[in-house]
């Protein structure tokens, strides 16, 4: 276990796709042992890539961590396969609600427990239903026919079945109605509190993300351009303007163009 | 009418064997996207292996069980040695490798067992046919049917209700999502090949009992192609129904076309039986390009 109480630590990692496209240019971040950390940024900033670097799924998209290191519970994991990493307890809920669409809801959940056995399986399924009562009502439905919100609950429940030690959540709010988003974020908070589950949360919905997270990082073009406690980020004028720029005007404003923004010294140069 | 019924019943019985082999083929295609063209030779291998165990004096059910085990091992080995290094290669490359496997097997089988027709001696099933109402059926058909159905049920049950089976279905649905929850795609591929080899092996053993064992069993094994194409390639129920349809078509063609004569002269040269399922496949593709049960993406309404 890491001495600073962090379960996960990224040290200045660089990620390349296809050996040529440099997407992450030195990203460092930490996830404390029972915290929720938000990873924010515009489209294409490299948020999903960061998660895939951690979970090892990157290797299946012809990507590679070319520099820096990733440590999970004090061990380096950046060279390990996705399979090994998931066995160690890091589960990524990939973006886009990728349910197994021809399986039923309950089968989807059970697939998450493919490493467990009988009795554990039952209690795991019950736990998922306790967090997501809606899933219990529609357990026999084919997952492909469920609504977006139900599918989001399903992929989270499926991930929960693996008994994760760290959950990487990629844009759970994408394209959902406000009421549903609220429900899902409440569940995220409960999972974190009641299961002591650390969560690295990628979101474009900055306001919501900072409401549940304790700490946040802002990523832009593959670099961390700002980080701080959720409170400090919320009050930050740059964030405010950036955030307003995103929602009110509907245009994507570059962080670099915001005039209050003081260029932060890159760490470790 | 009796003749027709007779053809239907034997067609379904032989078709159940094709259904079994087709199921194996479909599992590979579903989970790994590999179009396996070596099914014919796999079937033939099963026929020779089971015959050999039987000739060693093992009771037929035990010989069948050993054939399953040999199939399991061979499937794992072939996947590990030939297919795994090709993960990520183009579809065409992989297809050519399966063709290579089939040539290799054909050569090896000829080398070990020769080219003469071998028969199970003494016959496994009594040659006394059974009379059901107006229909007369050889016992070998009935027992083959029972064996094929039992195995089909086992495989489908495995696929539907076990953790490993669910993992296979999940990988077939969305490989990246399956990886994200720690399912090993390699393990799934290996299972698919093992099951396909087992299914083909038993299918071959049963066909060998009906026809004797020579390369023609391999040709029969190739009939899985029209079966799976008509069934829709990636559908398990489709493969089973496709297998039954092929059995029926084959029997109808054999029963009606091969004996079609005008003024005492046969107008269709022999072999309609082998050819007709392929003919039907081509016609069916014109009307249902996704087969009877092929997956299209689920679109929510
Ligand atoms: N498999 C890939 N091969 C090549 N380039 C990729 C690949 N995946 C992502 N990229 C590139 O990497 C950059 C970062 O992508 P990433 O998906 O990490 O962004 P993101 O921050 O998650 O964006 P979004 O909010 O749209 O999901 C993009 O420019 C993208 O084009
Ligand atoms: Mg993304």
């Amino acid at each position: 276990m890491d001495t600073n109480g962090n379960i996960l630590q990224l040290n200045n990692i660089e990620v390349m796709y296809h050996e040529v496209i440099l997407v992450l240019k030195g990203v460092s971040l930490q996830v404390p042992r029972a915290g929720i950390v938000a990873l924010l940024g515009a489209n294409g900033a490299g948020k999903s890539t960061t998660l895939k670097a951690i979970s090892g799924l990157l290797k299946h998209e012809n990507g590679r961590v070319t520099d820096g290191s990733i440590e999970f519970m004090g061990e380096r994991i950046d060279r390990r396969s996705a399979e090994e990493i998931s066995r160690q307890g890091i589960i990524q809920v990939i973006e886009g609600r990728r349910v197994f669409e021809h399986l039923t809801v309950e089968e989807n959940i059970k697939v998450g427990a493919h490493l467990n056995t009988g009795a554990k399986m039952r209690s795991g399924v019950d736990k998922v239903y306790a967090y997501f009562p809606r899933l219990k009502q529609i357990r026999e439905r084919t997952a492909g026919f469920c609504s977006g919100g139900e599918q989001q609950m399903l992929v989270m429940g499926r991930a929960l079945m693996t008994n994760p030690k760290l959950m990487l959540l990629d844009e759970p709010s994408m394209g959902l109605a406000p009421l549903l988003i609220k429900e899902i974020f409440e569940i995220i908070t409960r999972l974190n509190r009641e299961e002591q589950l650390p969560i690295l949360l990628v979101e474009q919905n900055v306001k919501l993300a900072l409401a549940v997270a304790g700490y946040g990082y802002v990523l832009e073009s593959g670099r961390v351009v700002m980080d701080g406690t959720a409170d400090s980020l919320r009050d930050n004028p740059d964030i405010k303007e950036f955030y307003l720029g995103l929602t009110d005007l509907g245009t994507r404003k570059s962080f670099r163009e915001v005039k209050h923004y003081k260029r932060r010294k890159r760490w470790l140069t | 009418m009796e003749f027709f019924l007779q053809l239907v019943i034997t067609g379904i019985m032989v078709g159940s064997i094709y259904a079994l082999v087709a199921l194996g083929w479909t599992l590979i295609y579903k989970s790994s996207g590999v179009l396996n063209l070596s099914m014919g030779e796999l079937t033939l291998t099963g026929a020779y292996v089971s015959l050999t165990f039987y000739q060693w004096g093992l009771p037929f059910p035990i010989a069948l069980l050993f054939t399953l085990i040999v199939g399991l091992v061979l499937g794992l080995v072939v996947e590990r040695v030939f297919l795994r290094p090709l993960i990520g290669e183009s579809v065409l490359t992989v297809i050519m490798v399966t063709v290579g496997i089939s040539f290799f097997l054909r050569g090896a089988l000829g080398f070990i067992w020769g080219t003469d027709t071998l028969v199970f001696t003494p016959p496994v099933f009594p040659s006394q046919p059974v009379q059901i109402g107006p229909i007369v059926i050889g016992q070998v058909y009935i027992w083959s049917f029972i064996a094929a159905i039992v195995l089909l049920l086992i495989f489908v049950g495995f696929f539907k209700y076990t953790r490993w089976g669910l993992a296979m279905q999940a990988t077939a649905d969305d490989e990246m999502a399956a990886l994200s929850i720690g399912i090993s795609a390699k393990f799934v591929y290996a299972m698919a090949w093992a099951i396909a080899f087992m299914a083909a092996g038993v299918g071959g053993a049963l066909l060998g009992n009906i026809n004797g064992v020579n390369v023609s069993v391999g040709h029969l094994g190739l009939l899985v192609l029209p079966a799976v194409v008509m069934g829709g390639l990636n559908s398990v129920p489709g493969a089973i129904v496709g297998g039954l349809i092929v059995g029926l078509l084959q029997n109808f063609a054999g029963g009606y076309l091969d004996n079609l004569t005008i003024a005492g002269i046969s107008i269709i040269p022999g072999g309609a039986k082998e050819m007709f399922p392929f003919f039907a496949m081509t016609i069916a593709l014109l009307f249902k390009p996704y087969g009877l049960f092929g997956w299209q993406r689920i679109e929510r309404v």
Side-chain angles (χ1 to χ4, degrees), chain B residues 5-295:
Chain B
L5 267 182
Q6 180 95 34
L7 291 178
V8 170
I9 301 283
T10 27
I12 286 177
M13 289 184 164
V14 179
S16 67
I17 306 176
Y18 301 144
L20 184 62
V21 184
L23 172 88
W25 188 96
T26 293
L27 286 191
I28 292 180
Y29 181 74
K30 255 172 99 81
S31 56
S32 65
V34 172
L35 288 154
N36 175 17
L37 293 187
S38 64
M39 243 22 207
E41 278 68 24
L42 301 188
T43 311
L44 185 55
T45 309
Y48 278 120
V49 168
S50 62
L51 180 115
T52 305
F53 282 131
Y54 186 67
Q55 299 315 40
W56 286 351
L58 296 172
F60 187 66
I62 304 292
L64 216 50
L65 185 68
F66 278 22
T67 308
L68 275 173
I69 296 171
V70 170
L72 175 83
V73 173
L74 265 183
L76 293 177
V77 169
V78 165
E79 194 276 333
R80 187 74 193 76
V81 174
F82 295 110
L83 277 306
R84 189 160 312 168
L86 295 175
I87 290 179
E89 295 291 331
S90 79
V91 180
L92 202 59
T93 313
V94 180
I95 291 179
M96 290 321 289
V97 168
T98 69
V99 172
I101 293 171
S102 81
F103 279 112
F104 170 77
L105 281 177
R106 180 167 295 192
L109 295 176
F111 180 74
I112 301 173
W113 282 285
T115 50
D116 292 341
T117 302
L118 305 178
V119 286
F120 286 76
T121 39
V124 177
F125 305 107
S127 53
Q128 182 67 41
V130 177
Q131 178 104 26
I132 306 173
I135 307 162
V136 184
I137 306 164
Q139 288 203 32
V140 61
Y141 287 99
I142 297 174
W143 287 108
S144 296
F145 179 66
I146 293 172
I149 292 294
V150 167
L151 270 167
L152 270 176
L153 288 178
I154 291 176
F155 284 140
V156 169
F158 169 84
F159 201 51
K160 243 193 122 41
Y161 299 113
T162 69
R163 266 178 297 145
W164 290 359
L166 278 182
M168 286 183 84
Q169 291 193 66
T171 304
D173 240 0
D174 187 333
E175 188 167 325
M176 195 62 163
L179 275 168
S180 80
I181 51 170
I183 292 172
S184 159
K186 289 173 193 159
F187 179 68
V188 166
Y189 297 166
M191 261 197 302
W193 280 86
I195 293 176
F197 269 62
M198 290 195 286
V202 171
L206 299 176
L207 289 171
N209 266 290
I210 294 175
N211 296 329
V213 185
N214 58 29
V215 283
S216 72
V217 171
H219 298 155
L220 292 179
L222 260 192
L223 287 174
V224 295
L225 284 182
V228 294
V229 168
M230 283 193 274
L233 294 184
N234 53 15
S235 158
V236 168
I240 294 171
V241 173
L244 295 177
I245 291 178
V246 165
L248 283 171
L249 289 175
Q250 200 196 13
N251 265 279
F252 286 145
Y256 291 122
L257 296 182
D258 273 350
N259 302 329
L260 205 61
T261 54
I262 293 177
I265 302 159
S266 165
I267 53 164
I268 296 185
K273 208 176 169 182
E274 268 68 54
M275 188 208 67
F276 196 66
F278 286 95
F279 178 67
M281 168 183 92
T282 315
I283 301 295
L285 276 184
L286 292 178
F287 296 101
K288 287 209 78 133
Y290 292 100
L292 296 173
F293 295 83
W295 269 2

Side-chain angles (χ1 to χ4, degrees), chain A residues 57 60-61 83 86 91-92 94 98 100-103 107 110-117 121 142 144-148 158 162, chain B residues 160-161 163-164 166-167 169-171 173-187 295-301:
Chain A
L57 290 178
H60 295 273
E61 293 196 348
E83 206 187 316
S86 65
I91 293 296
Q92 178 178 0
I94 52 184
R98 305 265 288 266
F100 301 122
E101 48 181 34
H102 295 91
L103 299 186
E107 284 169 341
K110 284 183 170 167
V111 171
H114 62 105
L115 301 172
N116 296 347
T117 45
M121 170 85 95
T142 303
F145 292 116
C146 292
S147 74
R158 185 175 75 191
T162 64
Chain B
K160 243 193 122 41
Y161 299 113
R163 266 178 297 145
W164 290 359
L166 278 182
Q169 291 193 66
T171 304
D173 240 0
D174 187 333
E175 188 167 325
M176 195 62 163
L179 275 168
S180 80
I181 51 170
I183 292 172
S184 159
K186 289 173 193 159
F187 179 68
W295 269 2
Q296 289 155 15
R297 287 196 70 75
I298 289 183
E299 303 285 354
R300 274 193 297 124
V301 281

Side-chain angles (χ1 to χ4, degrees), chain A residues 47-48 95 170-171:
Chain A
K47 305 180 297 294
S48 300
E95 70 191 315
D170 202 345
E171 305 210 29

